[in-house]
């Protein structure tokens, strides 16, 4: 399907499509990608274990830096069982407590402003052309874009792991727009970051998602497919 065909289809059948936003969506707003975060986690672990100065690894794109880290983790067998769990595995290794991991996430999203694309998503919400968004992201950029456009916090329904009944009620009662944060929100109690936490989505949310996907198309943006809990539902 080419771009013009997609636009025409979406214009006429937007009510039958949901959106799924991965970490790549927030990169243009200045939030590190998952791959960059993994590199930062590895640097943290390497420096703690070897006493190296973190400043030596300031350039994450440097091929020599990457090779040094790769050789270290391979030779010391500090590797996840499954490659798809790199993010969760190294995050927990670098920051073993939930509070530390929360602080890392908060520092990564602090002060960021919605990108142009996120503002467009908010505009589609206001036009009733974007009803449901599912996301693995912890940040509040979609919410902030919507709140600014609506001049209110009341229009957008946000469901996190602390309030997943909101998702069920909103879908059943067609209360749009709806944003469902599959891995939680960094400002709330529940976050999914570690391997054990990411093994499966909250049962209620997973069931709602399965039913919704059977009834609607899903537009996927900025998602690499590296989360088994999400991919299990999609498969």
């Amino acid at each position: 399907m080419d771009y013009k065909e997609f636009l025409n289809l979406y214009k006429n059948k937007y009510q039958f499509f949901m959106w799924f936003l991965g970490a790549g969506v927030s990169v243009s707003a200045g939030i590190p990608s998952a791959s960059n975060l993994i590199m930062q986690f590895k640097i943290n672990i390497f420096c703690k274990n070897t006493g190296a100065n973190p400043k030596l690894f300031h350039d994450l794109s440097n091929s020599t830096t990457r090779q040094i880290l790769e050789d270290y983790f391979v030779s010391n067998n500090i590797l996840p069982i499954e490659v798809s769990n790199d993010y969760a595995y190294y995050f927990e290794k670098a920051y073993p407590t939930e509070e530390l991991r929360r602080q890392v996430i908060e520092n990564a999203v602090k002060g960021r402003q919605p990108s142009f694309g996120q503002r467009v998503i908010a505009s589609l919400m206001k036009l009733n052309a974007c009803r449901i968004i599912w996301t693995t992201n912890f940040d509040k950029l979609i919410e902030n874009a919507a709140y600014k456009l609506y001049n209110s916090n009341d229009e957008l329904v946000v469901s996190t792991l602390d309030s997943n009944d909101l998702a069920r009620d909103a879908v059943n009662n067609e209360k749009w727009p709806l944003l469902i944060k599959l891995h939680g929100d960094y400002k709330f109690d529940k976050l999914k970051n570690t391997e054990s936490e990411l093994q499966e989505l909250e049962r209620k949310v997973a069931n709602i998602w399965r039913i919704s996907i059977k009834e609607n198309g899903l537009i996927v943006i900025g998602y690499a497919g590296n989360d088994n809990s999400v991919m299990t539902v999609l498969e």
Side-chain angles (χ1 to χ4, degrees):
M1 181 183 298
D2 64 26
Y3 185 56
K4 290 184 179 178
E5 186 179 0
F6 166 75
L7 286 180
N8 187 58
L9 177 64
Y10 190 79
K11 178 181 178 181
N12 291 290
K13 295 190 175 183
Y14 60 82
Q15 66 269 32
F16 300 113
F17 286 97
M18 305 184 298
W19 295 72
F20 178 46
L21 310 182
V25 170
S26 294
V27 169
S28 57
I31 292 179
S33 66
S35 60
N36 272 348
L37 284 173
I38 291 170
M39 285 296 294
Q40 291 175 18
F41 302 155
K42 286 184 174 182
I43 290 169
N44 176 289
I45 297 165
F46 179 84
C47 291
K48 283 195 300 186
N49 291 355
T50 66
N53 189 335
K55 292 182 179 179
L56 297 174
F57 299 91
H58 68 279
D59 184 3
L60 296 180
S61 65
N62 187 291
S63 59
T64 301
T65 297
R66 290 178 177 272
Q67 192 59 54
I68 290 172
L69 292 172
E70 182 69 20
D71 291 344
Y72 173 79
F73 284 96
V74 170
S75 63
N76 288 277
N77 196 30
I78 307 176
L79 302 167
I81 296 174
E82 296 182 26
V83 175
S84 61
N85 287 335
D86 270 13
Y87 171 86
Y89 177 81
Y90 290 114
F91 201 175
E92 189 170 17
K93 283 282 185 184
Y95 303 97
T97 69
E98 182 179 350
E99 185 54 39
L100 284 173
R101 292 192 293 272
R102 185 185 306 281
Q103 188 61 53
V104 170
I105 295 294
E106 186 166 357
N107 289 340
V109 305
K110 188 176 181 179
R112 306 300 183 185
Q113 297 298 318
S115 67
F116 176 76
Q118 287 160 333
R119 296 197 299 270
V120 170
I121 288 284
S123 299
L124 289 174
M125 287 179 177
K126 191 161 188 180
L127 292 170
N128 195 33
C130 174
R131 296 183 171 185
I132 303 177
I133 295 177
W134 304 82
T135 184
T136 53
N137 298 344
F138 301 113
D139 62 66
K140 300 184 77 69
L141 294 172
I142 293 295
E143 294 103 302
N144 291 344
Y147 296 160
K148 188 171 183 179
L149 197 61
Y150 282 106
N151 291 317
S152 167
N153 294 352
D154 299 329
E155 301 298 327
L156 176 62
V157 178
V158 181
S159 174
T160 71
L161 298 178
D162 296 80
S163 56
N164 52 37
D165 285 343
L166 285 176
R168 180 200 61 206
D169 295 342
V171 170
N172 290 341
N173 297 305
E174 298 188 356
K175 294 170 65 176
W176 325 123
L178 168 64
L179 174 65
I180 303 164
K181 309 186 87 165
L182 295 169
H183 288 172
D185 184 308
Y186 78 95
K187 287 193 174 182
F188 291 89
D189 289 337
K190 291 185 180 179
L191 285 176
K192 286 188 176 290
N193 280 305
T194 65
E195 289 186 280
S196 59
E197 291 167 346
L198 288 170
Q199 282 179 354
E200 62 178 281
L201 295 171
E202 292 286 319
R203 181 175 55 83
K204 291 180 181 179
V205 176
N207 287 337
I208 294 169
W209 201 19
R210 287 190 185 95
I211 294 169
S212 298
I213 291 173
K214 289 178 180 178
E215 298 175 349
N216 300 277
L218 190 67
I219 301 170
V220 181
I221 304 178
Y223 183 66
N226 293 328
D227 181 342
N228 289 334
S229 65
V230 169
M231 294 307 297
T232 297
V233 175
L234 294 180
E235 289 166 358

